[in-house]
Structures are given as C-alpha cells and as structure tokens.
Amino acid sequence: MLFRHSTEMATQQNQNMRGGKGTVTVKHVLNPNELFGNGRLFAQLTVPPGASVGLHKHEGEAETYLVLQGQGRYHNNDESYDIAAGDMARVDDGDSHGIENTGDTPLVLIGLILFSHSKAN
C-alpha cells in the first residue's frame, strides 16, 4: 500500500515552464518509479492567472490534463479550446500542446504522462 499526505508530496516551482509565462507549481502525486515503468508524471499543476505552460511536443508518450478548478485556453498543435473545471484534454504521441490560465483564479489540473506502447516495450 502507498499513502502520502499532501504535505509530503514533492513540490517544485517551474518558472517559464516549457517556455510559458509566470511560475507553475507542480506537486508530484506519484514519483516516476511509482508508475511501474508506464509513465513519467502524475502531478497536480497550479497555473496562476496570466501564467502558462508553453507549447511543447511529446514524443514516445501522451499527456492527459484533467481540470479541477479555474479556466484557461488549451492549445493542441494548431487548434485551441476553452477549458474549465471538469474538462479533459489529451495530447497524443508526436503532437504538441500547452495551456494558459485566462481566468482570475488559479487554474488547477492533474497531469498524467504515460509512455506510448512503442516506448514502454
């Protein structure tokens, strides 16, 4: 069994994350070695108003965002979508994505990066 209090989760401050604006807080729910070789990230991201995670490409993996609170604009390759609490977006292997907080409260989301079959095998 694995149990961890929120205060025990490793937290890092990423300034200009992936070329974005501001400082994004990343709280690691699971560490990469706790993902059984299937992925490299399971974390809560907090994006303050006006901040963003810049557009970046995923290779050998896919990332899913689940928005817990706030609102923003999600970018996937050349398309953009408004996103809010309860919404989900996934970037597939070989595609690029980013997200920005367009609201006046923190944008809080879960990020899950899993390896594609080609990388996991």
Side-chain angles (χ1 to χ4, degrees), residues 52-96:
S52 64
V53 176
L55 192 69
H56 59 283
K57 187 172 186 173
H58 283 266
E59 294 189 32
E61 61 191 26
E63 183 171 19
T64 302
Y65 287 157
L66 175 63
V67 180
L68 302 178
Q69 74 179 51
Q71 61 187 30
R73 189 88 173 138
Y74 178 78
H75 307 281
N76 190 309
N77 295 320
D78 296 330
E79 299 180 15
S80 295
Y81 308 89
D82 290 326
I83 196 165
D87 293 342
M88 180 279 298
R90 184 184 76 198
V91 64
D92 292 323
D93 187 354
D95 289 338
S96 298

